[in-house]
Amino acid sequence: MKNILVTGGAGYIGSHTLIELVKAGFNPVVYDNLSNSSVIAIDRVENIVNQKIDFIKGDVLDKDLLKQTFKTHNFFAVIHFAGLKAVGESVKEPLKYYQNNVAGTLNLLEVMSEFGVQNLVFSSSATVYGSPKSLPIFEHFPRSCTNPYGQSKLMVEYILEDLCKSKAFNAISLRYFNPIGAYQTGTIGEDPKDIPNNLMPYISQVAVGKLQKLSVFGDDYDTIDGTGVRDYIHIIDLAKGHLKALEYLVKGDKDNHIIGFEPINLGTGSGTSVLQLVNAFEKATGQNVPYVIVSRRAGDIASCYASCDKAKSLLNWQAQFDITRACLDTWRWQKNNPMGYQS
Ligand code: NAD
Ligand code: WQD
């Protein structure tokens, strides 16, 4: 059984990925400082998979603990979710983001090097494409970012590219589009600490009565109904994408093939507007989601959706779940856990 270090494994995407890893016979070891998550998520994953999950409370900035962790486990690969992700906060506190996301990754890469671990799956983001020149977005499109969060992801991609040029190293950079939804048990899901920045958790918190109404950021974009269009991908599909990436690394290892730096989009390939998502949520759940149109949010683009051709051809992966299913799963999680993991 292959040991996989999962940094940030207690978080939203990490916790769902743990389930797929265990189901496929990998042994995930979670390393998380719980700065944006709860250990309850790990307990709930243990209940779902009916198995204990190795958990180390640690920071990727703590190189000694990282070394200790590598010394006591023989890792085949690392899935590196650990990072801060709030765009607005990153504008106010850029150093915190560069320190955590860039310096943290450098630490990890140095320790991986020291222990001869050469397989990485990195959590990148569609944000690295900035304002795309056309749609859908392909992996070869130019990259640019306008905020420190996005820059931190882009910087790590540059570091990984250089590293892969310098020696035998495999880095699959998964560029996520907009993850939504929750596991079907309704026991794990997205649990923002403050008022949500992202659309889906905002919608579900309005539906559960925690927030009064949704502010729709602009209805004058050049889109189907004037509101922003995004590529919403179910979290279980996203989690399965990580498994496929790992399997690709395992195959590369068997064939003695160096993969190098490989950026891959994980999305559905189609776009949904803000109002379409609100309507889909209301229809799927029977809940009312009051909203008001307000001005555009600074830094937002009109539309963004992925080409998923590369994920299909290289990883044999494509999204299975639709928006209705994602709305139902989000709602099950939200209504069962109105205060998130503290409920
Ligand atoms: P999350 O905040 O739920 O999970 C991140 C986890 O990393 C948390 O459990 C947090 O406690 C942990 N963490 C943060 N800094 C750490 C550190 N220094 N050391 C150890 N652990 C640390 O976020 P998520 O939505 O699960 O995102 C996971 C990754 O995917 C992040 O890198 C994020 O930037 C990236 N990403 C997320 C989205 C999205 O919309 N959710 C989209 C694109 C990319
Ligand atoms: C989606 C749409 C908003 C909230 C962000 C990050 C990106 C990535 C995913 C990590 C847009 C509109 C939103 C609200 C609204 N994260 N909206 N009212 O902006 O595509 O991407 O999360 O990598 O880096 O920038 O996602 O969910 O914030 O917004 O009208 O209260 O919903 O304007 O059109 P976004 P989002």
Side-chain angles (χ1 to χ4, degrees):
M1 198 188 275
K2 288 187 161 50
N3 291 340
I4 311 295
L5 180 66
V6 185
T7 74
Y12 174 46
I13 306 173
S15 55
H16 288 80
T17 303
L18 294 176
I19 299 170
E20 301 305 323
L21 296 181
V22 171
K23 285 204 293 197
F26 288 101
N27 179 42
V29 177
V30 175
Y31 186 97
D32 196 308
N33 65 2
L34 301 180
S35 60
N36 196 41
S37 53
S38 164
V39 76
I40 299 170
I42 305 289
D43 299 342
R44 303 257 178 107
V45 169
E46 288 178 342
N47 282 336
I48 291 169
V49 297
N50 202 17
Q51 185 179 307
K52 197 95 195 101
I53 303 279
D54 281 340
F55 172 69
I56 295 156
K57 183 165 188 275
D59 197 305
V60 289
L61 290 165
D62 182 346
K63 212 170 179 180
D64 289 338
L65 185 60
L66 266 183
K67 282 186 188 174
Q68 192 54 35
T69 306
F70 274 75
K71 210 178 278 173
T72 48
H73 300 80
N74 178 22
F75 291 120
F76 168 73
V78 177
I79 306 183
H80 182 35
F81 292 109
L84 298 173
K85 62 167 182 177
V87 174
E89 185 188 51
S90 80
V91 175
K92 290 190 194 117
E93 294 184 73
L95 298 185
K96 182 172 158 186
Y97 275 68
Y98 291 126
Q99 177 72 9
N100 199 77
N101 294 3
V102 181
T105 305
L106 277 174
N107 262 346
L108 176 67
L109 292 171
E110 282 170 356
V111 176
M112 286 176 74
S113 250
E114 191 178 324
F115 287 85
V117 179
Q118 58 171 21
N119 295 313
L120 178 77
V121 178
F122 173 62
S123 292
S124 188
S125 167
T127 198
V128 300
Y129 295 114
S131 192
K133 57 179 184 183
S134 62
L135 295 167
I137 299 172
F138 290 89
E139 286 83 353
H140 65 267
F141 274 22
R143 290 166 290 172
S144 72
C145 286
T146 53
N147 60 72
Y149 166 71
Q151 297 279 24
S152 74
K153 291 289 168 190
L154 195 45
M155 285 179 187
V156 170
E157 285 206 353
Y158 290 142
I159 291 167
L160 294 175
E161 278 176 85
D162 286 342
L163 183 64
C164 291
K165 279 182 207 149
S166 75
K167 63 174 199 169
F169 194 84
N170 304 313
I172 300 186
S173 188
L174 296 178
R175 295 176 179 158
Y176 314 147
F177 280 65
N178 293 61
I180 58 170
Y183 199 66
Q184 61 262 24
T185 50
T187 53
I188 61 167
E190 189 170 8
D191 181 19
K193 277 214 169 14
D194 302 309
I195 294 178
N197 298 308
N198 295 117
L199 180 59
M200 186 55 128
Y202 209 108
I203 290 176
S204 64
Q205 291 196 13
V206 169
V208 84
K210 206 172 153 190
L211 295 169
Q212 234 180 356
K213 60 179 171 230
L214 170 72
S215 294
V216 175
F217 299 142
D219 67 349
D220 55 353
Y221 287 105
D222 183 15
T223 62
I224 181 165
D225 55 19
T227 65
V229 165
R230 298 289 184 273
D231 187 340
Y232 296 98
I233 172 168
H234 197 296
I235 189 73
I236 299 176
D237 280 326
L238 194 69
K240 287 183 172 158
H242 292 77
L243 181 62
K244 292 288 189 176
L246 262 192
E247 286 170 352
Y248 187 64
L249 290 169
V250 171
K251 187 173 179 308
D253 190 55
K254 271 193 199 127
D255 299 347
N256 227 353
H257 164 65
I258 300 301
I259 293 159
F261 179 75
E262 197 68 88
I264 302 178
N265 291 342
L266 293 184
T268 66
S270 65
T272 303
S273 76
V274 175
L275 291 183
Q276 284 174 328
L277 190 64
V278 171
N279 290 335
F281 189 91
E282 291 188 326
K283 201 167 161 212
T285 65
Q287 301 301 305
N288 194 20
V289 181
Y291 67 85
V292 58
I293 307 287
V294 300
S295 47
R296 292 180 178 193
R297 181 172 66 180
D300 270 357
I301 55 172
S303 300
C304 170
Y305 53 88
S307 159
C308 306
D309 296 352
K310 190 170 176 187
K312 176 96 173 70
S313 60
L314 219 57
L315 305 182
N316 190 27
W317 173 92
Q318 64 184 5
Q320 306 287 336
F321 295 128
D322 62 10
I323 294 285
T324 301
R325 167 71 192 262
C327 290
L328 281 170
D329 288 337
T330 299
W331 179 234
R332 193 178 303 107
W333 153 252
Q334 185 72 74
K335 80 168 183 295
N336 292 348
N337 306 269
M339 308 308 284
Y341 287 111
Q342 299 317 316
S343 301

